[in-house]
Amino acid sequence: MTQQTGSGAVPGPMVALARRARLASRTLAQSPSSARDRALWAAAAAIREASKTILAANAKDLEASTARDAFRDRLTLTPERVEAMALGLEEMADLPDPVGRILEEWTRPNGLRIRRVATPVGVIGVIYESRPNVGADAAGLCIKSGNAVLLRGGSESLHSARAIHAAIQAGLRTAGLPEDAVLIAPDADRAHVADMLGAAGLVDLLIPRGGRSLVERVQKEARVPVLAHADGLCHTYVHSAADPGMARRIVLNAKMRRVGICGATETLLIDAAIAPSLLPLLVSDLAEFGCTFRADAEAREIMPDLPPATEQDFATEWLDAVLNIAVVDGVDEALDHILRYGSSHTEAIVTSDEAVATRFLNGTDSAVVMWNASTQFCDGGEFGFGAEIGIATGRFHARGPVGVEQLTTFRYEVIGTGQVRT
Amino acid sequence: MTQQTGSGAVPGPMVALARRARLASRTLAQSPSSARDRALWAAAAAIREASKTILAANAKDLEASTARDAFRDRLTLTPERVEAMALGLEEMADLPDPVGRILEEWTRPNGLRIRRVATPVGVIGVIYESRPNVGADAAGLCIKSGNAVLLRGGSESLHSARAIHAAIQAGLRTAGLPEDAVLIAPDADRAHVADMLGAAGLVDLLIPRGGRSLVERVQKEARVPVLAHADGLCHTYVHSAADPGMARRIVLNAKMRRVGICGATETLLIDAAIAPSLLPLLVSDLAEFGCTFRADAEAREIMPDLPPATEQDFATEWLDAVLNIAVVDGVDEALDHILRYGSSHTEAIVTSDEAVATRFLNGTDSAVVMWNASTQFCDGGEFGFGAEIGIATGRFHARGPVGVEQLTTFRYEVIGTGQVRT
């Protein structure tokens, strides 16, 4: 399949688009930062100008949609949300150019100068669901990082996605960059997704943005590298040497600031030594904001009214005002729990004991580990990356927040004065 | 397959080994550099002690083998080759520890300290063919970088590989590290390869070392990340502003120093402006060392005795004393040729014009690009990485030479003083 699609033996429309995107990617990769930034400013202006058209297209999508509640809300655009898209593109233009950075540089005894230079990835495929602004964000981040992008949005947001895409291509035209740098699936045919998953040699990187089932399908079937996270089952471990006040502030924020984001804490681990005095305070803080609980046997010995947690609860990313609670005997038991139930996303420890903190930081295989901070800080903006396209939990290339720098790869440049190898 | 194997629904012997390796990898990942280095020194000593046993095992392999010529030579061990294995392990012990390096560090306005810290990958699967020393090199590089490794050698070298493996496990024992950090396929069953290709969640990275068909199979079928290169179709471009003497030295070295390595130049691109005067000199230099040629029409107008090149020749990695020659009109035509026939491995330009050199360095999508140097410098030792496990031509994680630093990934450590997110 890879080989066939990659070599075009069975060229679906997405494969044809990918070929055009690859050609455009060469121009974009060598375009000056000023041209890419100009395209972002112009795209933002075009989105504002086309605001009415975009909202009308979105109304069509909403009319045809049977979606309800949260899903319908994600699909819905408002004048404010359109303005936010435009502002987002302008903020990307203000970021430093991630392309051409010299990442490392050294000189060999024979005088060869070797440097590692940041380069665009090439063609990035973004598969997303109903949220129309994801298309604008993804296109902007790819333009900024010198990548061409192939967008495949959800069928429900097709009209909205097309209207936004037209505005972004107008921005590329204004900057004298190839329109083909941002291309979009012509229709909602599900075969397009399969084509993208198999387009080795044409698409260099896939980024799925959406629910767990989409991400897992892409991770399972893709024949090209994928940056994504399926789960964000984050843990906060309150060690016996934690400052109680700090623990209360961090746990409340890590769970309740926003319950629906992947960096939200789903499970509280607390040391047996401190649980009898601190757990009731943590629980009452959280309950005050509407949090409910799933507690293990030891926690229920301290607070018998807490509902019991099942094995499955500890493996569940609630994305809701629900917190699993387990009492542990020290950092090693906390680490065992995380290795067993975690998703390699983000874990935090609260302690004033540096040796224990170091052991914790070294002991998980998670992309992000925090000491005395809220897991909700796992975010491109909070890391100082500017806009992010998502969070990656794989072991390679980018881990944690994926911003424009993480959308680049590198090449080695070796500069000699005629050296030959002996 | 991935899911089944990964979750052990169909646990073949390799899956069981991978589980043991994963457990060992946690100990190794947190082991001090001193213990890993001690294991390498002890393994080197054990290989020297077991020299007779290893050579006897190798004799058994050779007896059973029907291989001839180059293949038989690769399979053959001598006292010198055994000593070279031991020395290689000792050199790895002398390399700086790649684990725990702080790759980046910064502080956010809210006081959060964020650092990117190098960490082991986890479990690395190495699939190699008949060369028994590859097992020792791979095991050593993985131990040095804190990774557990699962080895699957060629069926023809099974006895040799087992004898070497025993010595390396003895080294791990001496250092108090888990023997399971280096495990080897129990027999030559081809199903073991399929198990490794599908062992997502148990094997984190696959490194195929061998011929093109092995590498391409792994790249096509693997469900886990792969570091490898299928082809090393390297180009040397002699620009019209090249110093003729430098061009002659570099082209001769790039092609003929060692014709069988992946960094050897396979195609010479030379500017039309300089070809009439320089091409005859380059050809006579090379012919003197037994090189033969495949030349395009323009080159044959200058030197009619050169045999003609077919389309297929320009797409062929000869790994032999054969050079493709094409005359081009400037750097853009050279880049077009490289994008069309290249393998994203290593390309070189010879020129005294910095603007042209810069355009060339930016214009390929190869992992390594050289200016006024021989493509044969694409090597871990020459880059200063120490030992290398191979060359990678993918776009992600490691590109170019893969040494111990390239066998690590990273985590973000976020160190706060109780910050919560607003």
Side-chain angles (χ1 to χ4, degrees):
Chain A
M1 175 62 184
T2 306
Q3 303 312 313
Q4 286 183 335
T5 313
S7 64
V10 200
M14 292 308 275
V15 175
L17 288 179
R19 289 187 199 293
R20 284 165 52 192
R22 168 142 321 279
L23 281 176
S25 72
R26 292 183 190 156
T27 311
L28 210 68
Q30 297 183 53
S31 64
S33 175
S34 56
R36 284 174 272 129
D37 292 343
R38 186 161 173 232
L40 292 170
W41 286 101
I47 282 176
R48 288 196 181 92
E49 276 169 38
S51 184
K52 281 195 174 48
T53 319
I54 292 169
L55 290 169
N58 185 244
K60 262 198 200 168
D61 285 331
L62 286 165
E63 212 175 304
S65 169
T66 60
R68 298 232 175 110
D69 311 332
F71 188 90
R72 191 172 190 84
D73 175 65
R74 287 199 290 274
L75 177 58
T76 303
L77 286 176
T78 63
E80 296 67 32
R81 289 180 175 184
V82 172
E83 172 58 22
M85 271 192 272
L87 275 175
L89 294 172
E90 290 169 347
E91 285 164 10
M92 292 173 203
D94 287 338
L95 293 173
D97 185 9
V99 179
R101 287 170 300 131
I102 294 181
L103 306 169
E104 279 182 279
E105 189 167 22
W106 65 97
T107 302
R108 298 289 302 150
N110 60 7
L112 281 181
R113 278 166 50 212
I114 303 181
R115 58 190 185 208
R116 215 158 58 85
V117 180
T119 62
V121 166
V123 178
I124 298 177
V126 178
I127 301 173
Y128 59 105
E129 291 178 334
S130 58
R131 219 185 277 266
N133 61 301
V134 170
D137 295 350
L141 289 163
C142 289
I143 292 168
K144 179 72 186 187
S145 51
N147 294 292
V149 61
L150 197 53
L151 299 166
R152 200 287 187 185
S155 52
E156 299 226 328
S157 59
L158 196 63
H159 295 95
S160 315
R162 282 208 197 116
I164 293 164
H165 175 245
I168 288 164
Q169 285 197 315
L172 288 163
R173 273 197 305 275
T174 306
L177 292 175
E179 284 189 357
D180 285 358
V182 179
L183 293 171
I184 186 167
D187 54 54
D189 187 342
R190 298 199 124 277
H192 299 336
V193 175
D195 277 351
M196 288 173 77
L197 295 182
L202 291 172
V203 174
D204 300 299
L205 173 67
L206 282 172
I207 300 178
R209 280 291 307 272
R212 181 179 177 171
S213 61
L214 169 70
V215 173
E216 284 183 341
R217 181 194 166 189
V218 171
Q219 288 175 325
K220 183 153 179 263
E221 298 177 18
R223 300 289 179 280
V224 297
V226 175
L227 285 183
H229 70 278
D231 286 311
L233 209 164
C234 305
H235 299 76
T236 296
Y237 167 49
V238 178
H239 176 252
S240 56
D243 171 275
M246 184 190 287
R248 291 175 67 175
R249 283 196 310 279
I250 288 177
V251 170
L252 182 62
N253 184 266
K255 177 71 239 182
M256 297 303 291
R257 174 186 159 271
R258 280 181 62 191
V259 298
I261 66 173
C262 59
T265 286
E266 303 292 1
T267 296
L268 167 69
L269 303 170
I270 182 166
D271 269 340
I274 199 177
S277 58
L278 188 55
L279 183 58
L281 300 172
L282 296 171
V283 165
S284 70
D285 292 343
L286 291 156
E288 203 176 306
F289 287 82
C291 188
T292 62
F293 306 93
R294 304 278 191 282
D296 74 351
E298 286 166 84
R300 297 181 68 243
E301 279 172 23
I302 299 163
M303 303 183 69
D305 297 347
L306 292 176
T310 64
E311 182 86 3
Q312 185 52 41
D313 290 334
F314 286 114
T316 301
E317 180 187 19
W318 295 109
L319 295 173
D320 199 353
V322 183
L323 180 69
N324 303 312
I325 301 173
V327 174
V328 294
D329 276 315
V331 63
D332 290 332
E333 209 176 295
L335 288 170
D336 289 344
H337 182 104
I338 291 168
L339 285 169
R340 183 163 176 198
Y341 298 104
S343 58
S344 302
H345 192 294
T346 302
E347 329 298 341
I349 182 172
V350 185
T351 184
S352 54
D353 183 329
E354 179 164 9
V356 171
T358 303
R359 178 154 183 72
F360 183 86
L361 296 177
N362 293 333
T364 76
D365 67 351
S366 299
V368 180
V369 283
M370 304 200 173
W371 175 19
N372 290 343
S374 166
T375 55
Q376 301 228 355
F377 279 115
C378 182
D379 170 86
E382 294 296 330
F383 269 53
F385 295 172
E388 73 171 33
I389 200 164
I391 304 282
T393 53
R395 274 192 173 72
F396 293 100
H397 190 63
R399 310 186 79 194
V402 180
V404 289
E405 285 192 10
Q406 291 70 34
L407 292 181
T408 62
T409 176
F410 64 86
R411 66 169 168 262
Y412 288 105
E413 296 183 350
V414 181
I415 298 161
T417 52
Q419 286 89 340
V420 296
R421 189 170 171 189
T422 45
Chain B
M1 177 59 185
T2 306
Q3 303 313 313
Q4 285 181 337
T5 314
S7 65
V10 200
M14 291 308 273
V15 175
L17 288 179
R19 289 187 199 292
R20 284 165 53 193
R22 167 143 318 280
L23 281 176
S25 73
R26 293 186 188 152
T27 310
L28 210 68
Q30 296 183 52
S31 65
S33 175
S34 57
R36 283 175 272 129
D37 292 342
R38 190 166 169 224
L40 292 170
W41 286 100
I47 282 176
R48 288 197 182 93
E49 278 170 38
S51 183
K52 282 196 174 49
T53 322
I54 292 169
L55 290 168
N58 185 243
K60 261 198 199 168
D61 285 331
L62 286 165
E63 212 175 304
S65 170
T66 59
R68 296 229 178 114
D69 311 331
F71 189 90
R72 190 171 190 86
D73 175 66
R74 286 200 291 274
L75 177 58
T76 305
L77 287 175
T78 63
E80 295 66 32
R81 287 180 176 185
V82 173
E83 173 59 22
M85 270 192 273
L87 276 174
L89 294 171
E90 289 170 348
E91 284 165 11
M92 293 173 202
D94 286 337
L95 293 173
D97 185 10
V99 179
R101 287 169 299 132
I102 294 180
L103 306 170
E104 279 182 280
E105 190 166 22
W106 65 97
T107 302
R108 298 289 302 150
N110 61 7
L112 282 181
R113 280 167 48 213
I114 303 182
R115 57 192 186 206
R116 214 158 59 84
V117 180
T119 63
V121 166
V123 178
I124 298 177
V126 178
I127 301 173
Y128 59 104
E129 291 177 335
S130 56
R131 218 184 276 269
N133 62 300
V134 170
D137 294 350
L141 289 163
C142 289
I143 291 169
K144 180 72 186 187
S145 51
N147 293 293
V149 61
L150 196 54
L151 300 167
R152 201 284 185 186
S155 53
E156 300 226 329
S157 59
L158 197 63
H159 295 95
S160 317
R162 281 209 196 110
I164 293 164
H165 175 245
I168 288 165
Q169 284 197 316
L172 288 163
R173 271 197 306 275
T174 305
L177 292 174
E179 284 189 2
D180 285 358
V182 179
L183 293 171
I184 186 167
D187 53 56
D189 187 342
R190 298 199 122 279
H192 298 336
V193 175
D195 275 352
M196 289 173 76
L197 295 183
L202 292 172
V203 174
D204 300 299
L205 174 67
L206 282 173
I207 299 178
R209 280 292 305 273
R212 181 178 176 169
S213 61
L214 169 70
V215 173
E216 283 182 342
R217 181 192 167 193
V218 171
Q219 288 176 324
K220 183 151 179 266
E221 296 176 18
R223 298 290 178 277
V224 298
V226 175
L227 285 184
H229 71 278
D231 288 311
L233 209 164
C234 305
H235 299 75
T236 296
Y237 167 49
V238 178
H239 176 252
S240 55
D243 171 275
M246 184 190 290
R248 290 174 67 174
R249 285 196 309 279
I250 287 177
V251 170
L252 182 62
N253 184 266
K255 176 70 241 183
M256 297 304 291
R257 174 185 159 271
R258 280 181 60 192
V259 298
I261 67 172
C262 59
T265 286
E266 303 292 1
T267 297
L268 167 68
L269 303 170
I270 182 166
D271 268 340
I274 200 177
S277 57
L278 188 55
L279 184 58
L281 300 173
L282 295 172
V283 165
S284 69
D285 291 342
L286 291 155
E288 204 175 304
F289 287 83
C291 188
T292 62
F293 307 92
R294 304 279 190 280
D296 73 350
E298 286 167 85
R300 297 182 66 242
E301 278 170 25
I302 299 163
M303 301 184 68
D305 296 347
L306 293 176
T310 64
E311 182 86 2
Q312 185 52 43
D313 290 333
F314 286 114
T316 300
E317 180 187 18
W318 295 109
L319 295 172
D320 200 353
V322 183
L323 180 69
N324 303 313
I325 300 173
V327 174
V328 295
D329 275 317
V331 63
D332 290 332
E333 209 176 296
L335 288 170
D336 289 344
H337 183 105
I338 290 167
L339 285 168
R340 182 165 176 197
Y341 297 105
S343 58
S344 302
H345 191 295
T346 302
E347 328 299 340
I349 181 172
V350 185
T351 184
S352 53
D353 182 328
E354 178 163 10
V356 171
T358 303
R359 179 156 182 72
F360 183 85
L361 296 177
N362 291 332
T364 77
D365 67 350
S366 299
V368 180
V369 283
M370 306 204 172
W371 176 20
N372 291 342
S374 167
T375 56
Q376 300 227 355
F377 279 115
C378 183
D379 170 87
E382 294 296 332
F383 269 53
F385 294 172
E388 72 170 32
I389 199 165
I391 304 282
T393 54
R395 274 192 174 72
F396 293 100
H397 191 61
R399 310 185 79 193
V402 180
V404 288
E405 285 192 10
Q406 290 71 34
L407 293 180
T408 62
T409 176
F410 64 86
R411 67 169 168 263
Y412 288 105
E413 296 184 350
V414 181
I415 298 159
T417 51
Q419 286 88 340
V420 297
R421 190 170 170 190
T422 44

